[in-house]
Amino acid sequence: CVYWIVYAVIFIDILLLLFHSGKYRSLKYALAHFDNSFSGYSSAALSFIIGFQQSSFTLQGFSMLPALADEVKEPERDIPKGMSTAVLTSTVTGVVFLILPDTQTIINNPKVMPIALIFTQSTHSIFVSLFLVIMILGNLLFSGIGSVTTSSRAVYSMSRDMALPYSEFWSYVDPSSKHRVPKNTILLSMGISYLLGLLALLSTAAFNAFMGAAVLCLC
């Protein structure tokens, strides 16, 4: 999972730079230009703060690591090292996505995923864009595995402190198992994820409400 996510993002950045045939944004424009006309807020400062919160979600990968401290041989060294690396990697690879796309095209096509528009607009190749989207789907799959791992360990930790109903059941780890993980909490996290995912088939509004609440609670 880790190798796919890291190398896929780096590979995507390299392909975007190689196949990009349009004009590049200047670094000053990418990092300093601010357009408040589409935000819906009269205050540019408020729009900036809200937008900054959403972009900071990209750097939230470090928050998953402390939940796994019990399963690391040298957590006092490896956990901080992993947290720092996660933030630095996300920062470096994310800059490419700030420089390449024309934001006006993305805004004028709200029904198309922005990431797909960035790919097609930059590479001018349906084949390359499709390949890049497949790599992104792989990242989503593996990120989901990481999220389930983290949420299951959070439930496990709370259950060890008797902070949840049926704590003994959720904190149980089979000592005879080859992989000594809290299997019950993993199944619980997967089950809730499936149920929330099915909401998208029933009610888009309900699904978006749960996803929005999840992002806010994580931050």
Side-chain angles (χ1 to χ4, degrees), residues 8-23:
V9 173
I10 295 174
F11 193 58
I12 289 170
D13 283 351
I14 293 174
L15 284 180
L16 286 177
L17 292 172
L18 286 177
F19 282 89
H20 184 65
S21 57
K23 294 182 178 179

Side-chain angles (χ1 to χ4, degrees), residues 145-175:
I145 294 174
S147 298
V148 168
T149 302
T150 306
S151 60
S152 65
R153 298 316 190 267
V155 174
Y156 171 68
S157 297
M158 295 181 68
S159 298
R160 288 191 307 175
D161 293 336
M162 306 301 289
L164 294 176
Y166 308 106
S167 290
E168 292 184 0
F169 180 76
W170 302 126
S171 61
Y172 176 74
V173 177
D174 186 1

Side-chain angles (χ1 to χ4, degrees), residues 64 67-68 140-156 182-194:
M64 295 183 175
L68 301 174
L140 291 175
L141 172 65
F142 293 134
S143 296
I145 294 174
S147 298
V148 168
T149 302
T150 306
S151 60
S152 65
R153 298 316 190 267
V155 174
Y156 171 68
K183 185 168 63 177
N184 295 335
T185 61
I186 294 175
L187 295 175
L188 174 66
S189 298
M190 291 175 62
I192 293 176
S193 299
Y194 285 135

